[in-house]
Structure formats: C-alpha cells, structure tokens
Amino acid sequence: MSSYAAAPPSAPRRPRRWIVAVVSVIGVLVVLGVVGEVVLRGMIDDRIAAAEADLPDGVTVERDDTLALVQLATGRATLRAEVSPAALTDMARSATDLPNLQVTPQSGNLVAQVPFSIAGSEQNVDVLLSVAAENGRAVLRAESVELAGISLPLATVADQLGNDQIDQLVEGVAFPEDETDVTISSAVATDAGLELGAEVAIW
C-alpha cells in the first residue's frame, strides 16, 4: 500500500487590494462623470434658451447629442434649429418688401411664391430657393423661376422686369438678420421648412 498522504486543499486566494482600489476609483469616476454631465447639460440648456430668446418666432432650438463634457471642453454648445415656413416667409418679406410673398416647402426644396407684374397683369410665380451656410448665417437665394411651365434663371427675369425686390432675393437673404450669439454651420431644406446646424458660445 502507498504511504503517501493526500495533500491538504489549498486555501482560496484573497482578492488583491489593488484590484479593489482600482474598481472603487473607476466607480467614483463614473458617478462623477454622470453627475457632471447632468449638471452641465442644465447649464448648456440655459445658455441655449437665452440665445433662442433673441431669435424670431417660428424658430425652435435644441441641444444635439454631443456629450456636454465635450461641449464644455470646446467652449461651444452644438445644437439643432428648425425654422418654420412662416418664419421664412416673414424673413423674406422683410428683406424684399414684398408683403404677398409666401415661402413653402415642396419635395425637400423651398419655393417662394412671388407676385410678378407681367404685361400689366399681376400673377404669382414659383421661385426655387437654394440655401447654404455662409459666414455663420443661413442664406436663402432665388435660383430660378417658372413661367408658363418654363424654368428660367431668376437673375435674367429680374433684370428684364427691373424689380429691386426680386434683385434682393437673387443676392440672398441672410438668417438670422441681426447680430446674435448663434453661428450657423449647416443649412438644409426639409419638408418642414429649414433645418440648421448651429453653435453658441457657452460663456
């Protein structure tokens, strides 16, 4: 018979203290990050609300999904803004002094219905508008006009008619009109009007 005795079972190892310390530190950092994100979002939302108050009626602004901590690091809050057709109409009327002008979204484009005086008769024509972000603003420009089913460059039609108000549409209408803390970085026409990407200084 064998004289070897069975070896006693080894005692379970205790978790190393440094592992516990690291996990604890990570947990504290996560909690601080979550709390900081919530607090900073509130600060940024307040700043956006203050900037929105300077914009005309029909413009809604909200913070985008960028982390508040990232926005704090850059010093600028990134946001989305939507401009309704009514607000676009008011803006275009103010810039062109055409009280009957109407801006409407059509198939992802913006169309201005503009009264033209043709052969002594006034009639509305559809003017296709382009939109672009330029120098921190969104700029609407008239590109072409449809007359009797024919699309013509609006600059040519405006020159022939000698209409200063239409010339203003050709040169471009900027939004926002006045100085604000909001900087427009992108502008896209949608079925709901105009969608803008923008930034505002946090402080």
Side-chain angles (χ1 to χ4, degrees):
M1 295 181 63
S2 174
S3 60
Y4 293 108
S10 59
R13 294 184 179 180
R14 294 181 180 178
R16 297 182 180 180
R17 291 184 177 179
W18 69 269
I19 296 178
V20 176
V22 169
V23 171
S24 298
V25 170
I26 292 175
V28 170
L29 291 177
V30 169
V31 171
L32 289 176
V34 171
V35 172
E37 179 74 12
V38 171
V39 172
L40 289 174
R41 284 187 180 185
M43 293 173 53
I44 292 172
D45 286 344
D46 290 342
R47 181 68 187 91
I48 291 174
E52 185 177 13
D54 295 331
L55 298 176
D57 293 337
V59 181
T60 58
V61 178
E62 64 178 8
R63 175 175 37 81
D64 72 1
D65 297 329
T66 304
L67 289 175
L69 291 170
V70 174
Q71 298 184 43
L72 177 66
T74 61
R76 301 190 68 82
T78 53
L79 48 93
R80 292 186 296 268
E82 291 187 357
V83 187
S84 69
L88 292 172
T89 294
D90 290 342
M91 177 182 64
R93 286 178 178 177
S94 174
T96 61
D97 196 25
L98 290 170
N100 295 323
L101 179 148
Q102 188 79 28
V103 178
T104 59
Q106 294 183 14
S107 303
N109 295 312
L110 293 176
V111 175
Q113 294 178 334
V114 182
F116 268 96
S117 180
I118 303 173
S121 174
E122 187 171 284
Q123 57 182 292
N124 286 332
V125 296
D126 289 340
V127 176
L128 182 64
L129 302 174
S130 67
V131 58
E134 299 178 5
N135 300 319
R137 296 186 177 186
V139 180
L140 296 176
R141 285 193 179 87
E143 293 292 328
S144 61
V145 60
E146 282 199 3
L147 286 172
I150 301 175
S151 181
L152 300 171
L154 187 58
T156 302
V157 177
D159 289 341
Q160 292 176 349
L161 296 176
N163 191 316
D164 293 338
Q165 289 88 351
I166 299 302
D167 288 339
Q168 179 63 52
L169 270 181
V170 175
E171 292 174 7
V173 176
F175 173 85
E177 296 179 82
D178 303 319
E179 293 295 330
T180 70
D181 294 332
V182 178
T183 301
I184 305 301
S185 56
S186 65
V188 179
T190 69
D191 291 338
L194 188 60
E195 184 176 291
L196 305 174
E199 295 180 341
V200 61
I202 298 176
W203 44 66

